Amino acid sequence: MYTHRKQIVTAGVPADQAKKAMIMLHGRGASAVSILTLKDHLQLDDYAIFAPQATEHSWYPYSFMAPVSNNQPALDSALEMIGSLVEDIKQQGILQENIYFLGFSQGACLTLEYVTRNAGRYGGVIAFTGGLIGEKLMNENYQGDFNQTPILITTGDPDPHVPVSRVNETVSLIKKLNANVTLKIYKGRQHTVTAEELALANGILS
């Protein structure tokens, strides 16, 4: 099993000059550089952009629906690394309410898991095809108040990796923590990010 070294690829405005930050989390088998290509389709002109690289190109080894213990210590290591990056960004003078998150697939699951375990006011959260992590969701892991943070969750129906039932469970849990959720389920959509999803994301970013 592996832990994650803090390897961050950056883009956009230098953090000490930016008012907003975006953390982008790639999917399984992908890379920080690959998720950064989405920036060309997103309204991130005045953002400092941070894309962590997962060790061995995977944030945790098994399905996000496996028992959490099966995905340790990689999962805790990934969550700690994001927490450390958030602190770094705050130390550059960017407020938490101006920190945004975006993830795809495994990166979307990790994004939702991090923000829901640390619910507070963020700029916005964009989860392209993801849900909260674990065989069963443990409500006690999730606390705080999103204070109406806009959260976009999209998925295909069916999706080969992410059951719609888990997406719905995730939405219900984060709404209880006072998130302002937009859910879009696309019948028959491939495991990808579409132009419509990018347009919805830009609605949160602009």
Side-chain angles (χ1 to χ4, degrees):
M1 289 300 233
Y2 48 86
T3 54
H4 297 283
R5 294 195 309 284
K6 199 159 152 195
Q7 309 170 77
I8 315 287
V9 181
T10 58
V13 179
D16 57 357
Q17 294 165 32
K19 297 221 165 21
K20 295 178 176 179
M22 165 61 82
I23 297 172
M24 302 176 89
L25 297 172
H26 67 76
R28 189 188 296 274
S31 68
V33 171
S34 67
I35 194 84
L36 276 174
T37 60
L38 286 180
K39 73 180 169 37
D40 301 333
H41 307 279
L42 296 169
Q43 291 169 12
L44 294 171
D45 293 346
D46 51 349
Y47 287 72
I49 306 169
F50 301 86
Q53 172 63 52
T55 301
E56 299 179 20
H57 299 277
S58 180
W59 293 111
Y60 43 84
Y62 300 110
S63 161
F64 85 116
M65 301 283 289
V68 165
S69 58
N70 291 13
N71 278 317
Q72 298 296 16
L75 175 59
D76 277 354
S77 172
L79 292 166
E80 277 166 31
M81 198 259 298
I82 297 167
S84 167
L85 175 56
V86 167
E87 286 310 310
D88 291 348
I89 291 169
K90 289 180 185 170
Q91 282 175 5
Q92 300 272 8
I94 296 174
L95 301 173
Q96 180 177 293
E97 66 210 41
N98 290 325
I99 299 176
Y100 293 70
F101 293 84
L102 178 150
F104 171 63
S105 191
Q106 193 189 47
C109 297
L110 185 61
T111 294
L112 289 167
E113 189 70 19
Y114 175 80
V115 298
T116 310
R117 287 188 185 212
N118 300 277
R121 176 68 204 201
Y122 298 101
V125 178
I126 297 155
F128 292 134
T129 311
L132 290 168
I133 295 172
E135 185 176 32
K136 293 192 174 66
L137 296 186
M138 311 299 272
N139 285 336
E140 61 270 20
N141 284 343
Y142 308 112
Q143 52 225 336
D145 183 345
F146 277 116
N147 196 15
Q148 289 296 295
T149 294
I151 299 183
L152 170 66
I153 302 178
T154 65
T155 197
D157 179 16
D159 181 87
H161 305 289
V162 179
V164 170
S165 57
R166 172 54 57 90
V167 174
N168 287 329
E169 238 186 315
T170 298
V171 167
S172 142
L173 193 152
I174 62 180
K175 277 184 171 170
K176 287 181 186 147
L177 298 180
N178 195 22
N180 177 7
V181 184
T182 302
L183 170 64
K184 292 286 179 185
I185 299 173
Y186 299 96
K187 285 280 177 204
R189 192 212 63 190
Q190 302 294 308
H191 190 71
T192 186
V193 178
T194 63
E196 184 184 327
E197 289 166 89
L198 291 166
L200 289 168
N202 278 326
I204 287 177
L205 298 171
S206 55

